[in-house]
Amino acid sequence: EPEVTQTPSHQVTQMGQEVILRCVPISNHLYFYWYRQILGQKVEFLVSFYNNEISEKSEIFDDQFSVERPDGSNFTLKIRSTKLEDSAMYFCASSVGAAGTGGKLFFGSGTQLSVL
Amino acid sequence: GEDVEQSLFLSVREGDSSVINCTYTDSSSTYLYWYKQEPGAGLQLLTYIFSNMDMKQDQRLTVLLNKKDKHLSLRIADTQTGDSAIYFCAERGYGGSQGNLIFGKGTKLSVKP
């Protein structure tokens, strides 16, 4: 069964460093997303991406964050200068159709980011 | 703002039915979802229901939707130890956002043999 894959599964970084989280969405999917879950808190939406541009972003997704689809298969989340509060599990997701019209999101297993 | 609430823990015996409850605030929600998260894994879509439905059954899973009370439940019949996981309720309203699912905190289901 096709699945969303994320690498690495764990990432440890120093505060102020840049990190790139990588995702390979399901191949025929058109919509891509990043969510995160801080330990003990809810899964939160960060950004959605369609047709090579951001379609929506949350208040969390500030100028320190960026997303890119550098080729036909990868979808990346970059955090330019990490802060302690960026420590979380980051989930990538993809869907064939837009979630707002019933498109079902398929999630990867996440990247645990620890900022020291 | 939109919010989704779930109880945090549920413990049942193997073979019993489990009922996981969820309340939401956005009355315009068109789709409501149940996701399952096993340890070390991602969020697996279990089932979903469209807001014009009251009930949806899928093998051992039954979803009940009470739109008036904004209450969603997931019933797992004949619960097995392999059902032990965290179950997330999520909602999505109509229009506007393409992917902004609002999740609850998740209910941790423990199944005792």
Side-chain angles (χ1 to χ4, degrees):
Chain A
E1 186 176 324
E3 58 181 22
V4 176
T5 56
Q6 290 186 243
T7 55
S9 55
H10 293 87
Q11 174 88 50
V12 180
T13 190
Q14 295 290 325
M15 190 170 59
Q17 294 297 303
E18 175 184 285
V19 293
I20 297 176
L21 308 182
R22 302 181 191 279
C23 170
V24 178
I26 295 173
S27 60
N28 64 331
H29 286 191
L30 301 176
Y31 295 81
F32 314 111
Y33 316 88
W34 284 100
Y35 282 74
R36 79 174 186 189
Q37 186 181 28
I38 295 172
L39 187 65
Q41 297 188 23
K42 295 184 179 184
V43 176
E44 302 172 292
F45 169 77
L46 292 178
V47 66
S48 58
F49 191 88
Y50 170 72
N51 200 25
N52 283 319
E53 60 183 22
I54 291 173
S55 47
E56 187 183 4
K57 58 184 180 180
S58 70
E59 291 176 354
I60 303 167
F61 195 89
D62 61 22
D63 291 345
Q64 293 300 311
F65 291 87
S66 62
V67 289
E68 195 177 32
R69 188 153 163 83
D71 52 45
S73 59
N74 291 284
F75 180 52
T76 61
L77 174 70
K78 182 194 288 187
I79 309 174
R80 271 187 206 88
S81 177
T82 50
K83 303 188 281 285
L84 295 176
E85 54 264 38
D86 293 329
S87 295
M89 178 72 87
Y90 287 79
F91 292 106
C92 174
S94 67
S95 63
V96 174
T101 53
K104 295 181 283 293
L105 271 64
F106 292 83
F107 284 79
S109 55
T111 294
Q112 180 64 56
L113 176 65
S114 298
V115 182
L116 306 179
Chain B
E2 299 163 324
D3 197 15
V4 175
E5 295 293 336
Q6 303 175 238
S7 53
L8 295 181
F9 301 99
L10 176 65
S11 180
V12 300
R13 292 213 171 272
E14 193 173 17
D16 288 349
S17 291
S18 308
V19 179
I20 302 170
N21 295 301
C22 167
T23 57
Y24 59 96
T25 56
D26 186 358
S27 58
S28 68
S29 287
T30 53
Y31 289 92
L32 296 123
Y33 305 84
W34 284 103
Y35 280 84
K36 176 184 180 182
Q37 185 182 32
E38 296 181 19
L43 300 168
Q44 174 197 355
L45 177 64
L46 275 182
T47 187
Y48 67 99
I49 189 166
F50 187 50
S51 59
N52 68 351
M53 299 168 66
D54 297 323
M55 186 181 89
K56 181 178 179 181
Q57 186 146 9
D58 184 0
Q59 299 181 332
R60 291 192 297 123
L61 304 178
T62 303
V63 179
L64 295 177
L65 175 61
N66 181 329
K67 279 195 71 175
K68 175 174 166 289
D69 294 338
K70 297 178 194 169
H71 183 266
L72 182 74
S73 68
L74 174 69
R75 179 176 179 270
I76 305 173
D78 187 24
T79 314
Q80 303 297 306
T81 53
D83 295 323
S84 293
I86 300 175
Y87 291 81
F88 292 91
C89 169
E91 66 165 342
R92 178 55 234 139
Y94 177 78
S97 168
Q98 294 178 337
N100 191 349
L101 297 184
I102 310 297
F103 283 86
K105 272 192 176 182
T107 299
K108 184 173 183 179
L109 174 64
S110 298
V111 183
K112 297 178 179 165

